[in-house]
Amino acid sequence: MTQTKSNQDVKIAIVTGILSMGGAELIILNLGLSLRQLGYDVTIVTTSRPGDWFDQIEKNGLKALHIDGRFRVHPYRHAWRVGRRLREENFDVVILAKFTNSERSSQAALNMLPDHVIAVPWIHSDTESTYRTALANQAAWNVAVGVGVRVAETAAQKSKGKHVLYIPNGLMPPPVELLKNGRPAEARPFRLCFVGRMEQVSKGIFNLPAILDLCGQKGLGIILDVVGDGPDREELVQRFEQAGVMDRVVFHGAVPHDEVFKFLCRAHVVLMPSYYEAMPCVPIEAQFCGCVPIVSKLPGITDTIIDDGQTGILVEVDDINGFVEAIGGLVNDPRHWQAMSEAGQRRAADFTLDAMGRRFDQLIQACLCGEYPLQRPRRAWLPINPLAFTWREAIPRGIHRLGIGKRIRTLLGGN
C-alpha cells in the first residue's frame, strides 16, 4: 500500500497494560513524545490499570486512553473489549509494548483489527514469558521490534521467519546546567549509586552489601546512594545491617525521574549487578551524566551499550570480586575514571530520544508503504486468539472461586 497520509493524519496507539514508574514506561512515554514531535497523532492506551504515571501522558502533550474491566470480567471478554475499542478509534498503527502476564489482551485481539492496521510488538525484556506473549498470534502482526540486539535475535529465532528489527531505546539527556555541577575525578568520598527497582530476581540487589563490605576490607572510601523502591527493600536493608556497612549507605526511595539525574551527576560510578535485562536505561542515563557504569556482563544486552574498559566496565554475573576490583581501579586512578567518564558521554549520543524516534519513523513509513504485509487476512482467524492466554486464564472466574480451577490446571498440566 502506498502512503497517502501526512504524519498528522496517521493515528498511532502505543498499548501497554499499565503505566507505572519504571524504565520501560519511561521509554513508552519517550517514544510517544518523539513520534508526536514528528507530527504523528499519538495515543497511549492502558488495558489493565492506568498506573501512577498515567497523568504524565497528557502532560507530555499526548492523548491518553484507558480500557477498563481487566480484573472484572473473563480475560477473553476483556480482550474483545480491547479489540473493539482499538478498532473504533481507527488507529493506523498499533504498537504493543511491555508484555507481562497482565498484558495479553491487545495481542489476543489483533484479529479484530482491519488488515490495513499495522501491528508491531515492541519487546522490552529478555525472558521466555515475554517472548511467549509478545510473539503470540503471529499471523496477526506485521513486524516486531526488540530493544536490544539479543532480544531482537532471540525473537527472530522464535518467530519462525517473521521480521524482527533492532531499535535501541532512546532517552532524553539531562539539562546542560546539571552537567556543569558534576563531581571532580578526585572528589572524595568516591560515590557509588544504584538506581532501579529493588528486586533480587532480576536486579541482583543482594550483591550490593557484599560489594560494599569487600570495598571496606580493601580500604576503599566509598558511599553508596540507593535510589528506588521495590518488594525486596526490607531484606536489602537487613543485609546491609548484617554486613555492618549501613554507615556507608543512603536510601533515597523512589524519586521523580528528573531527580535521578541529580544522583547520577554526583556519583562516580553506577552499579548494576543484574541477572537479566533487555536494554536497561540506567547505564545509558549514567553515561549521559559522565557517571561510569560497572554492570553485569549480559551478552547482546549490556555489551551493546558499554564498550568494556572504555565507556564502562562489564563484570561477570555474581562476581563480587570483579565488581570490587573494577571499583578499586577507578578509585585509585582518577585519570582513568575521567577518560571513561568522557568517553561514556560521547557513547550516549547513540541512544538519544531523537535517534529512537527517527528509527521508528522509518519503520512506520515502511509499513505504511507495504514493506511488511500480513501473512494472511486477520478475519480468517477467531476474533480473540485463545492461544495468547494461559490455561489458568481460560478457566471461568466462577470456577476459580469454587476452588476447582487449581485441580483442572493440575490435570491439564498447564499454568
Side-chain angles (χ1 to χ4, degrees):
M1 179 173 64
T2 302
Q3 162 84 335
T4 58
K5 295 182 178 180
S6 63
N7 283 7
Q8 64 184 3
D9 295 323
V10 176
K11 295 186 65 175
I12 298 176
I14 304 176
V15 187
T16 186
I18 181 172
L19 202 71
S20 294
M21 184 180 297
E25 290 82 357
L26 174 64
I27 297 300
I28 290 170
L29 284 170
N30 280 352
L31 178 60
L33 179 60
S34 183
L35 293 176
R36 184 183 66 81
Q37 291 173 341
L38 290 168
Y40 292 103
D41 182 350
V42 183
T43 301
I44 295 181
V45 182
T46 55
T47 61
S48 293
R49 295 189 180 94
D52 48 17
W53 270 10
F54 192 76
D55 62 344
Q56 295 295 318
I57 299 173
E58 293 185 346
K59 288 181 180 178
N60 281 277
L62 305 170
K63 296 177 181 178
L65 172 63
H66 176 62
I67 304 174
D68 201 12
R70 165 65 177 85
F71 301 101
R72 295 202 303 271
V73 299
H74 192 278
Y76 289 7
R77 185 178 178 190
H78 181 60
W80 184 84
R81 287 180 174 180
V82 170
R84 181 185 63 180
R85 190 62 187 274
L86 293 177
R87 186 179 61 203
E88 290 173 348
E89 292 291 330
N90 294 316
F91 292 114
D92 299 287
V93 180
V94 175
I95 299 172
L96 311 175
K98 198 186 177 188
F99 294 96
T100 64
N101 288 335
S102 65
E103 179 37 42
R104 307 176 192 269
S105 305
S106 56
Q107 181 65 284
L110 288 181
N111 297 337
M112 296 178 65
L113 301 180
D115 289 348
H116 73 269
V117 177
I118 306 302
V120 183
W122 184 20
I123 309 172
H124 292 262
S125 185
D126 180 39
T127 66
E128 285 300 317
S129 62
T130 298
Y131 294 123
R132 187 166 54 249
T133 305
L135 302 175
N137 211 8
Q138 181 174 316
W141 51 265
N142 300 77
V143 58
V145 169
V147 301
V149 173
R150 176 171 171 174
V151 172
E153 290 177 346
T154 303
Q157 292 169 2
K158 292 179 177 294
S159 62
K160 301 176 182 177
K162 292 294 289 272
H163 290 282
V164 182
L165 308 182
Y166 163 55
I167 298 181
N169 289 337
L171 299 170
M172 189 173 295
V176 175
E177 57 270 19
L178 192 60
L179 297 176
K180 295 178 181 178
N181 299 321
R183 85 308 287 157
E186 298 83 4
R188 296 295 180 269
F190 192 86
R191 298 198 78 97
L192 311 178
C193 187
F194 170 85
V195 178
R197 181 170 173 78
M198 294 190 197
E199 184 179 66
Q200 167 64 9
V201 66
S202 60
K203 300 298 183 181
I205 58 172
F206 294 161
N207 286 322
L208 295 173
I211 292 171
L212 216 58
D213 182 29
L214 189 53
C215 283
Q217 294 178 34
K218 292 181 175 292
L220 303 176
I222 57 176
I223 294 291
L224 173 64
D225 291 304
V226 179
V227 181
D229 207 345
D232 293 328
R233 182 186 189 281
E234 185 176 344
E235 184 171 349
L236 178 62
V237 171
Q238 293 174 355
R239 288 175 179 251
F240 276 124
E241 290 173 343
Q242 292 168 0
V245 296
M246 274 299 288
D247 60 330
R248 285 170 269 162
V249 183
V250 183
F251 281 86
H252 301 274
V255 303
H257 180 257
D258 291 346
E259 294 186 18
V260 168
F261 284 129
K262 297 178 182 179
F263 292 99
L264 294 175
C265 281
R266 77 174 185 176
H268 293 87
V269 163
V270 69
L271 295 177
M272 195 186 79
S274 298
Y275 293 125
Y276 65 84
E277 298 276 353
M279 185 183 180
C281 297
V282 171
I284 299 172
E285 292 173 323
Q287 289 179 115
F288 276 132
C289 297
C291 179
V292 176
I294 300 180
V295 307
S296 296
K297 183 179 181 180
L298 304 174
I301 301 172
T302 52
D303 59 5
T304 66
I305 301 172
I306 294 166
D307 299 319
D308 190 22
Q310 299 180 44
T311 64
I313 300 175
L314 302 176
V315 180
E316 296 296 334
V317 173
D318 270 340
D319 184 0
I320 304 300
N321 286 324
F323 274 95
V324 174
E325 288 176 6
I327 294 167
L330 298 180
V331 170
N332 296 322
D333 191 347
R335 289 187 178 180
H336 184 42
W337 176 88
Q338 187 68 48
M340 294 183 74
S341 172
E342 294 172 356
Q345 288 181 304
R346 293 190 295 270
R347 180 74 170 94
D350 293 336
F351 305 105
T352 62
L353 183 60
D354 289 343
M356 179 178 66
R358 288 194 302 272
R359 292 178 178 117
F360 266 95
D361 180 38
Q362 292 168 359
L363 172 60
I364 291 167
Q365 294 300 322
C367 287
L368 292 173
C369 291
E371 187 166 334
Y372 301 102
L374 293 173
Q375 293 176 333
R376 64 189 72 181
R378 291 186 176 117
R379 63 180 177 272
W381 297 88
L382 294 172
I384 300 302
N385 188 337
L387 298 179
F389 295 96
T390 64
W391 283 110
R392 174 182 174 82
E393 291 166 319
I395 297 171
R397 298 169 67 87
I399 293 180
H400 282 295
R401 287 193 289 268
L402 292 173
I404 302 173
K406 183 176 181 180
R407 278 176 283 175
I408 293 176
R409 295 196 305 274
T410 301
L411 290 172
L412 292 173
N415 53 3

